[in-house]
Amino acid sequence: GAGVSQSPSNKVTEKGKDVELRCDPISGHTALYWYRQSLGQGLEFLIYFQGNSAPDKSGLPSDRFSAERTGGSVSTLTIQRTQQEDSAVYLCASSLAAGGRYFGPGTRLTVT
Amino acid sequence: GESVGLHLPTLSVQEGDNSIINCAYSNSASDYFIWYKQESGKGPQFIIDIRSNMDKRQGQRVTVLLNKTVKHLSLQIAATQPGDSAVYFCAEDTSGNTPLVFGKGTRLSVIA
């Protein structure tokens, strides 16, 4: 398929463990975004990558959250020392320079 | 499975009727707007977008109206079908690939 893909689709982890979430954007899309959606809530911006520019990390909720984008394509969102409040659906989106963001199916993270 | 938007405003519409979903945006400098549809357990799906130099744009069965004077956006769905049942989000952006700001969402429920 040509859409945004994310893995894993579901992740259950114990409190205090680290997790890595992966996003494969649409080929050729220069911009990549991470959002978080908690139960019953809208989408919360986390971080944004545009080409080779420094990422916009203004939405990361704490220093336990980090993300990288390798080779301008695949991105990994890492959450260290997970807490129960980190439980949410983590959504990745990509876009061309100017246009609509296309979302992946999300990773549902459950911290027990 | 997890439900999106358990406490969102809900619009109930009879199958075949037209639906109008409204959104008030916050930033008068926003110049790009998108409507997304999100079904339970899935990522948001791009429906239609509009730039601030337009006040109306039509797609297949959908029309977006933009009123910049009162910072209001609406999504009209013609001949609503059961498959249209979902949570609908509006999103606003300012000058390119900045992080979209999402509204809280409205749940559309189609009564067959």
Side-chain angles (χ1 to χ4, degrees), chain A residues 4-107:
Chain A
V4 177
S5 61
Q6 292 184 245
S7 61
S9 55
N10 284 284
K11 176 71 176 180
V12 180
T13 190
E14 292 181 352
K15 177 181 174 181
K17 296 288 179 77
D18 298 352
V19 295
E20 286 190 351
L21 312 179
R22 176 186 169 105
C23 172
D24 285 85
I26 293 172
S27 178
H29 279 193
T30 57
L32 187 146
Y33 314 78
W34 283 98
Y35 287 85
R36 177 168 71 174
Q37 188 172 35
S38 302
L39 183 63
Q41 302 296 318
L43 279 76
E44 175 189 4
F45 164 73
L46 296 176
I47 189 169
Y48 154 58
F49 297 89
Q50 170 57 51
N52 296 322
S53 302
D56 177 352
K57 304 178 182 180
S58 60
L60 295 178
S62 79
D63 59 8
R64 295 187 296 105
F65 288 72
S66 63
E68 62 178 22
R69 188 179 185 193
T70 55
S73 181
V74 172
S75 177
T76 302
L77 177 69
T78 301
I79 308 173
Q80 295 178 310
R81 304 181 302 280
T82 52
Q83 304 294 314
Q84 288 186 330
E85 61 263 28
D86 300 335
S87 295
V89 176
Y90 288 82
L91 292 158
C92 175
S94 70
S95 70
L96 291 169
R101 280 66 155 178
Y102 294 87
F103 282 84
T107 294

Side-chain angles (χ1 to χ4, degrees), chain A residues 30-31 33 35 37-43 45 48 50 56 58 88-89 91 95-106 108, chain B residues 1-8 32 34 36 38 40-46 49 51 89 93 96-104:
Chain A
T30 57
Y33 314 78
Y35 287 85
Q37 188 172 35
S38 302
L39 183 63
Q41 302 296 318
L43 279 76
F45 164 73
Y48 154 58
Q50 170 57 51
D56 177 352
S58 60
V89 176
L91 292 158
S95 70
L96 291 169
R101 280 66 155 178
Y102 294 87
F103 282 84
R108 181 174 303 170
Chain B
E2 182 179 48
S3 298
V4 173
L6 293 179
H7 305 291
L8 295 174
Y32 180 56
I34 308 175
Y36 286 94
Q38 187 174 28
S40 186
K42 297 183 179 180
Q45 175 189 357
F46 176 96
D49 59 0
R51 298 203 176 270
F89 294 96
D93 190 14
N97 286 325
T98 53
L100 287 175
V101 175
F102 282 81
K104 297 297 184 184

Side-chain angles (χ1 to χ4, degrees), chain B residues 27-90:
Chain B
N27 187 351
S28 57
S30 293
D31 55 9
Y32 180 56
F33 305 88
I34 308 175
W35 279 101
Y36 286 94
K37 171 186 179 184
Q38 187 174 28
E39 296 172 281
S40 186
K42 297 183 179 180
Q45 175 189 357
F46 176 96
I47 301 175
I48 191 168
D49 59 0
I50 188 168
R51 298 203 176 270
S52 59
N53 60 350
M54 304 174 67
D55 53 19
K56 180 179 180 179
R57 190 171 187 214
Q58 289 185 295
Q60 185 178 12
R61 279 201 310 119
V62 294
T63 300
V64 55
L65 299 177
L66 174 63
N67 185 330
K68 295 182 288 293
T69 302
V70 295
K71 294 190 288 186
H72 184 269
L73 196 66
S74 68
L75 177 70
Q76 301 178 359
I77 304 173
T80 313
Q81 302 169 359
D84 296 327
S85 294
V87 176
Y88 289 80
F89 294 96
C90 66

